[in-house]
């Protein structure tokens, strides 16, 4: 069986053995460390004994074991209920980046036989020094697999911190290296976005936020009235235009994404590797997203996004772009959520597209009772009516001011 990036499937579809192995074959001259992180329901390493690597080759329960330098042996039934997810990573020890690796793969098998293989190479990555390759996670009482192949710009210590662990001793800081421009970051993996990257860089520099470290989220109205926007490719254009900002601001160059109808669905993380045709392909494409009735219930997706970023527990700023064509449901609940969220490190940029009844979304910018003004709204009759430069400038109208105020009040780091 061949597995592709972003594919999710039950482990039972690959093997029904009680004990099976995950083997990583990385073709390179780099020195590479392998690790497995056993995470709790908050995606944190709450028990550091469940980081299995060369210095700690076995979990306390025996369910995770480093059989050799690049192979993990697993007995999932032995894991305690507190372990909800296993994330398998590789990190470079020393100089180099993941773009240097040749054709490589990871395999899942049992009894000495490979049952599934996922191939990848350095062409997928750029300056990353670590990769979260694959995760196993519990869902509805069963274990499932997600082939992540997500790069991370720092090494093993940064991964440990990312998952909430502690690093006993900091390594000496490396010599500073010249900053890589947004244009160069994008050109290596997605040359079709270079023009957008240039324009985004200029706008962010004008707003004096080009060097900000910030997570980026995208929320997409997928109600029935938006069908025309999806069919004409307008929603995919939103993805294309926002992704360069995520690459500039986020260390992982990743864009979190949700769609909503009556209910929200979190989609795959968007990167330079999977953005092309994302709207038509991710999770079966926009027509097949599991959103319940194709009506607007904005408060559910707002609540979902707030919960997602609250779980990180840090004060890294978050920029969320929220796209809607109007027809707002339950204004009072939306108002309450946005007012309460003003205490959090989240800025909301609402954009109305080809609609008229934007209701409370137009009024949130003047909402009283907030510790800081945490949102902005503007409307467009059509995405094509505004240039990329003008769009980026409008998106930066209030974010820098919010960032300054939120820092002054200790809301963001």
């Amino acid at each position: 069986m061949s597995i592709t990036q972003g594919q999710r499937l039950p482990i039972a579809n690959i093997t029904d053995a009680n004990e099976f192995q995950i083997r990583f074959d990385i073709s390179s001259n780099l020195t590479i460390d392998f690790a497995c992180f056993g995470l709790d329901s908050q995606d944190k390493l709450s028990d550091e004994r469940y980081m299995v690597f060369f210095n700690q080759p076995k979990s306390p329960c025996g369910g995770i074991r480093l059989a050799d330098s690049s192979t993990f042996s697993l007995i999932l039934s032995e894991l305690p209920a507190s372990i909800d997810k296993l994330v398998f990573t590789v990190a470079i020890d020393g100089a180099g980046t993941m773009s240097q690796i040749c054709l490589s793969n990871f395999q899942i098998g049992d009894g000495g036989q490979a049952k599934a293989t996922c191939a990848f190479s350095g062409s997928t990555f750029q300056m990353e020094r670590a990769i979260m390759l694959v995760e196993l996670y519990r869902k509805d009482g069963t274990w499932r697999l997600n082939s992540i192949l997500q790069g991370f710009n720092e090494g093993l210590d940064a991964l440990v911190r990312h998952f909430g662990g502690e690093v006993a001793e900091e390594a000496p800081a490396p010599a500073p290296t010249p900053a890589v421009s947004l244009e160069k970051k994008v050109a290596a993996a997605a040359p079709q976005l270079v023009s957008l990257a240039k324009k985004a860089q200029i706008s962010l520099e004008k707003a004096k936020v080009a060097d900000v470290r910030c997570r980026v989220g995208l929320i997409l109205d997928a109600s029935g009235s938006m069908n025309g926007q999806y069919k004409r490719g307008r929603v995919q254009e939103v993805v294309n235009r926002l992704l360069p900002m995520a690459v500039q601001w986020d260390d992982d160059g990743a864009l979190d994404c949700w769609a909503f109808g009556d209910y929200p669905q979190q989609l795959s993380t968007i990167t330079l590797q999977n953005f092309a045709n994302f709207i038509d392909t991710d999770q079966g494409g926009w027509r097949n997203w599991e959103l319940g009735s194709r009506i607007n219930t904005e408060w559910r997706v707002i609540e979902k996004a707030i919960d997602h970023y609250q779980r990180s527990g840090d004060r890294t700023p978050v920029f969320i772009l929220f796209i809607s064509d109007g027809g707002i449901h339950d204004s009072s609940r939306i108002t309450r959520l946005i007012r309460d969220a003003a205490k959090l490190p989240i800025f909301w940029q609402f954009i109305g597209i080809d609609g008229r009844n934007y209701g409370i979304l137009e009024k949130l910018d003047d909402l009283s009772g907030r510790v800081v003004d945490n949102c902005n709204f503007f409307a467009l009759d059509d995405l094509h009516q505004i240039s990329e430069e003008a769009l980026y400038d409008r998106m930066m109208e209030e974010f820098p001011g919010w960032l300054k105020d939120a820092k002054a009040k200790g809301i963001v780091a």
Side-chain angles (χ1 to χ4, degrees), residues 103-165:
L103 184 62
S104 303
N105 68 74
F106 68 81
Q107 303 174 7
I108 299 176
D110 58 70
Q113 299 293 319
K115 298 295 183 68
T117 301
C118 180
F120 57 93
S121 71
S123 63
T124 306
F125 308 105
Q126 298 176 63
M127 303 302 292
E128 296 91 336
R129 290 177 43 77
I131 311 171
M132 291 183 278
L133 282 171
V134 59
E135 66 181 18
L136 308 183
Y137 62 100
R138 298 182 196 260
K139 183 177 180 181
D140 299 329
T142 63
W143 282 91
R144 298 177 63 86
L145 174 145
N146 177 20
S147 172
I148 313 172
L149 294 179
Q150 180 179 331
F152 200 88
N153 281 7
E154 299 181 64
L156 184 60
D157 285 356
L159 284 171
V160 174
R161 295 188 192 95
H162 176 74
F163 291 125

Side-chain angles (χ1 to χ4, degrees), residues 324-328 352-359 362 377 379-382 385:
S324 172
D325 70 343
I328 309 305
I353 295 183
D354 194 27
R356 294 293 181 270
N357 180 23
Y358 296 118
E362 295 181 278
F377 173 88
L380 305 170
D381 287 336
D382 190 290
Q385 80 179 69

Side-chain angles (χ1 to χ4, degrees), residues 311-323:
R311 277 186 286 145
S312 69
D314 62 26
R315 292 183 294 144
T316 302
V318 179
F319 180 96
I320 293 181
L321 180 62
F322 191 115
I323 302 297

Side-chain angles (χ1 to χ4, degrees), residues 4-5 38 40 56 77 235 269 273 277 304 313 328 391 403 413:
T4 58
Q5 181 179 5
D40 61 21
Q56 189 167 259
S77 60
V235 180
T269 300
Q273 287 71 45
N277 299 317
K304 192 82 169 177
I328 309 305
L391 179 63
L403 192 61

